[in-house]
Amino acid sequence: MFTHTTINAYQARQSPIHQLDARVKILGTVGIILSNVLLPDGAWWAFLLTYVGLLLVVRLSNFKIGFVLKRSLLALPFVLVAVSILFTLPGNALFSFRLFSWNLTITDSGLLRFTSIMIRAWLSVQAAILLTSTTRFPDITHGLRHLHIPLVLIAILSFMYRYLFVLNEEAVRLLQGRAARSASLPDSPKPPIGWQAKNAGNMVGQLFLRSYERSDRVYNAMVARGFQGQFLTLNPHVMHSIDWYALAIILLVLSLIQVIGHIF
């Protein structure tokens, strides 16, 4: 199961990026994602400039390049959903092959679109990873609140994040209980696949029922302790001169990326 370190992606460091206001990092992340979406297919120089900028942020955050690269691989299975574009977008045929009863042809425009989608998703995920790795979750929620995001959405996001830990803790308890009740000899045969599938299905059902009941108790306990719909933080959330300078640099770089992407 996931550990608390896996769920809580924040990495404590002493760096200029960590010290920036959460609003600057949120706007920068959203700006990078929008910039990737607005770039035309095949804007390789603009994609490269975006990646260089992300590498610079990684360096300023005192992270290793491999730290972000490994986590960004999470996006690959979701990007593969767009693989049908290779065959459905009209264009000049590059090569064809037969898969079962289908004759599939990869076109140049399909390959261009698919490659651009992969790069966009990969860069956007890296930006999101940098946001969550350099900003504590309560600071992110407060930054969203200062940016006038609807309070209902912020509350939903906050409880979803909190209940991930509840779900993980209940899953760990279920697995420990099953292991304690399923002692067997080292050379004993494994249970049939059907029995394992049935047992796993029962565990999933119990997991969500127990998590739901516990989440209700957690919410009531939070309300009893004065919870008013937002997490508290010691961060004063005041925009300093360095934050405004950083925001201006981000906007300037993103504008330059758009110019390069639409010219070259």
Side-chain angles (χ1 to χ4, degrees):
M1 298 304 296
F2 293 114
T3 62
H4 286 192
T5 305
T6 305
I7 300 175
N8 184 13
Y10 177 75
Q11 302 289 320
R13 297 285 194 282
Q14 291 293 332
S15 73
I17 304 300
H18 284 74
Q19 296 174 3
L20 287 176
D21 189 86
R23 285 166 285 186
V24 176
K25 289 181 277 190
I26 292 172
L27 291 175
T29 302
V30 175
I32 291 173
I33 295 173
L34 290 177
S35 175
N36 291 332
V37 172
L38 295 175
L39 286 174
D41 294 334
W44 311 124
W45 287 108
F47 291 143
L48 179 61
L49 182 57
T50 303
Y51 182 59
V52 171
L54 290 174
L55 289 180
L56 179 61
V57 175
V58 171
R59 180 59 181 169
L60 292 175
S61 303
N62 292 332
F63 292 146
K64 295 181 179 179
I65 298 178
F67 169 79
V68 178
L69 289 178
K70 291 179 181 178
R71 296 196 172 197
S72 63
L73 295 178
L74 179 67
L76 290 181
F78 300 96
V79 175
L80 293 178
V81 176
V83 71
S84 60
I85 294 178
L86 290 169
F87 318 106
T88 58
L89 206 63
N92 298 323
L94 296 179
F95 58 92
S96 303
F97 62 94
R98 185 176 182 83
L99 181 64
F100 301 113
S101 60
W102 299 298
N103 291 320
L104 302 178
T105 301
I106 297 179
T107 63
D108 55 351
S109 56
L111 181 61
L112 178 65
R113 176 70 59 83
F114 178 72
T115 306
S116 299
I117 289 176
M118 288 192 63
I119 294 175
R120 289 189 184 100
W122 184 58
L123 294 175
S124 300
V125 168
Q126 289 195 59
I129 290 172
L130 286 172
L131 170 64
T132 56
S133 300
T134 60
T135 315
R136 291 183 173 88
F137 185 78
D139 292 330
I140 293 178
T141 57
H142 277 266
L144 293 173
R145 182 168 173 266
H146 288 302
L147 292 172
H148 302 288
I149 302 299
L151 296 179
V152 174
L153 295 179
I154 299 175
I156 292 174
L157 178 64
S158 302
F159 279 110
M160 287 177 60
Y161 177 79
R162 177 64 184 88
Y163 290 155
L164 283 176
F165 294 94
V166 176
L167 190 66
N168 181 73
E169 292 170 0
E170 291 295 337
V172 170
R173 288 190 177 93
L174 284 174
L175 290 175
Q176 290 175 345
R178 187 186 70 170
R181 294 189 297 269
S182 303
S184 60
L185 296 175
D187 297 331
S188 60
K190 293 183 179 181
I193 298 296
W195 181 89
Q196 295 183 29
K198 180 181 178 181
N199 192 23
N202 292 334
M203 285 187 60
V204 171
Q206 294 179 24
L207 172 63
F208 281 98
L209 286 176
R210 293 176 60 174
S211 300
Y212 175 78
E213 294 174 355
R214 190 178 173 202
S215 64
D216 189 53
R217 295 196 299 270
V218 169
Y219 175 74
N220 291 331
M222 293 171 65
V223 172
R225 290 173 172 83
F227 180 73
Q228 297 180 350
Q230 62 181 3
F231 293 102
L232 301 180
T233 174
L234 297 176
N235 193 329
H237 298 283
V238 177
M239 291 281 288
H240 301 286
S241 299
I242 187 64
D243 298 313
W244 291 108
Y245 291 145
L247 186 59
I249 293 174
I250 292 172
L251 294 176
L252 180 62
V253 172
L254 292 179
S255 300
L256 178 61
I257 289 174
Q258 288 298 312
V259 172
I260 294 176
H262 286 84
I263 292 179
F264 297 99

